[in-house]
């Protein structure tokens, strides 16, 4: 196996298409196809199945990707650091954000990156904590802002602070007039929540168990945008950080109310792979990320208790 073959394999696996990989790597499709075939011949295994939807990893392909994606990323970062040592910083940084953070931070961070470091290519991936942690463990992602707790994650972690959770209801629900509600009252209402695999659901289930209440979950949604739209339609209440629904509240589409103490909150964590040497570009993006979080707090856009 050589690095060119592994980089080609990784790119095709990520994009699911030879044509897209050809555009990204700026290499003709026949050359890419030949590299994949040489790799398959050396490993004596098919790495992809080819169908009408593109290139799909086989079990052997998934194994190879899991073992080599981090290696390819680290070699690319070494190249970027060497090239950056005598000039402006460059390189690619893959940053994962949970949806409730992404809606506040993504555009601001992207704009700052373009303005401050035009040589750095920032790839923002939005997903839930479980998926982001899996990609961090495989070395396919450089950084991620996830919800904790930060212990026992088998990642390098830094606490960013705690994010409060508020009650969220549709227009006319009366939450805006109440301003503060008891969590026992909220948990007795019809709810719209993520599925059981989601960290927020576990937090709410724990709160209900402490109150010895059974939740009335009318609809489940593992998409943040779907979740808020279901609440807008009046299908139930939910619980979210206030920053994530700030625009909907300002537009009068949703209402929120504080939850009386002890109010639920979540630890916000910046995570990266263990033993990851990092790169100059990653260090700079980490600094920009922290700066933007502090700026959002100072401007009243994000009510996080900073660590």
């Amino acid at each position: 196996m050589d690095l060119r073959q592994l980089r080609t394999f990784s790119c095709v696996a990520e994009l699911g298409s030879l044509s897209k990989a050809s555009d990204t790597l700026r290499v003709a499709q026949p050359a890419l196809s030949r590299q994949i075939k040489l790799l398959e011949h050396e490993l004596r295994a098919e790495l992809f199945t080819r169908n009408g939807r593109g290139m799909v990893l086989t079990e052997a392909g998934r194994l190879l990707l899991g073992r080599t994606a981090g290696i390819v990323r680290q070699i690319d970062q070494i190249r970027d650091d060497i090239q950056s040592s005598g000039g402006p910083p460059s390189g690619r940084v893959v940053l994962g954000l949970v949806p409730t953070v992404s809606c506040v931070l993504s555009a601001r961070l992207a704009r700052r990156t373009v303005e401050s470091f035009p040589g750095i290519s920032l790839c923002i991936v939005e997903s839930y904590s479980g998926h982001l942690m899996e990609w961090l463990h495989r070395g396919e992602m450089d950084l991620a802002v996830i919800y904790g707790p930060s212990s026992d994650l088998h990642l390098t972690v830094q606490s960013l602070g705690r994010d409060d959770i508020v009650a969220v209801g549709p227009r006319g629900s009366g939450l805006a007039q109440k301003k503060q509600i008891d969590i026992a009252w909220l948990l007795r209402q019809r709810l719209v929540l993520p599925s059981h695999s989601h960290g927020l659901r576990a937090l709410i289930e724990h709160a209900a168990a402490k109150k010895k209440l059974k939740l009335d979950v009318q609809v489940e949604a593992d998409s943040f945008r779907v979740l808020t739209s279901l609440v807008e339609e009046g299908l139930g209440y939910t619980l979210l950080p206030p920053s994530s629904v700030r625009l909907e509240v300002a537009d009068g589409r949703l209402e929120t109310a504080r939850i009386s103490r002890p109010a639920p909150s979540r630890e916000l964590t910046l995570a990266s792979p263990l033993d990851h040497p990092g790169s100059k570009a990653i260090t700079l993006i980490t600094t920009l990320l922290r700066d933007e979080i502090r700026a959002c707090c100072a401007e009243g856009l994000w009510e996080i208790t900073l660590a």
Side-chain angles (χ1 to χ4, degrees), residues 30-178:
L32 295 186
S33 182
R34 185 163 57 251
Q35 289 176 30
I36 295 293
K37 287 178 180 177
L38 286 172
L39 189 56
E40 289 179 324
H41 177 73
E42 181 178 350
L43 296 174
R44 299 178 185 177
E46 284 195 1
L47 301 174
F48 296 96
T49 56
R50 297 148 176 87
N51 56 36
R53 297 188 301 276
M55 308 275 283
V56 180
L57 285 170
T58 63
E59 187 165 341
R62 288 193 294 272
L63 176 62
L64 181 63
L65 183 64
R67 297 287 180 87
T68 62
I71 297 170
V72 173
R73 291 281 302 129
Q74 289 188 34
I75 292 174
D76 286 344
Q77 286 166 358
I78 292 169
R79 178 202 60 205
D80 294 336
D81 273 353
I82 291 172
Q83 292 176 349
S84 299
S85 62
S90 63
R92 186 170 188 257
V93 178
V94 182
L95 169 68
L97 297 174
V98 288
T100 51
V101 171
S102 178
C103 67
V104 180
L105 209 56
S106 287
R108 293 176 62 110
L109 181 63
R111 184 176 64 249
R112 281 285 307 278
T113 302
V114 170
E115 292 171 352
S116 304
F117 307 112
I120 295 178
S121 172
L122 177 63
C123 173
I124 297 176
V125 179
E126 181 180 302
S127 192
Y128 288 113
S129 292
H131 295 139
L132 298 180
M133 286 189 288
E134 179 184 343
W135 295 324
L136 286 169
H137 285 139
R138 295 205 312 235
E140 297 175 25
M141 185 169 283
D142 302 305
L143 296 166
V145 177
I146 60 178
Y147 284 113
S150 59
S151 58
D152 301 323
L153 294 181
H154 303 292
L155 297 166
T156 300
V157 296
Q158 306 168 44
S159 178
L160 297 173
R162 296 200 71 85
D163 211 357
D164 286 338
I165 305 295
V166 299
V168 182
R171 179 174 55 191
S173 62
L175 288 182
Q177 286 73 35
K178 292 178 180 178

Side-chain angles (χ1 to χ4, degrees), residues 186-208:
L186 178 62
L187 296 177
R188 291 190 189 97
Q189 308 307 305
R190 187 173 57 191
L191 298 174
V192 178
L193 297 176
S195 66
H196 288 277
S197 61
H198 192 282
L200 179 62
R201 177 64 175 270
L203 182 74
I204 298 166
E205 293 275 6
H206 179 68

Side-chain angles (χ1 to χ4, degrees), residues 210-221:
K210 287 178 68 175
K211 297 288 184 180
K212 297 182 179 179
L213 295 171
K214 184 178 179 181
L215 297 178
D216 177 14
V217 182
Q218 187 76 10
V219 185
E220 293 181 341

Side-chain angles (χ1 to χ4, degrees), residues 219-230:
V219 185
E220 293 181 341
D222 279 346
S223 162
F224 168 67
R225 295 301 175 191
V226 171
L227 193 69
T228 53
S229 67
L230 293 175

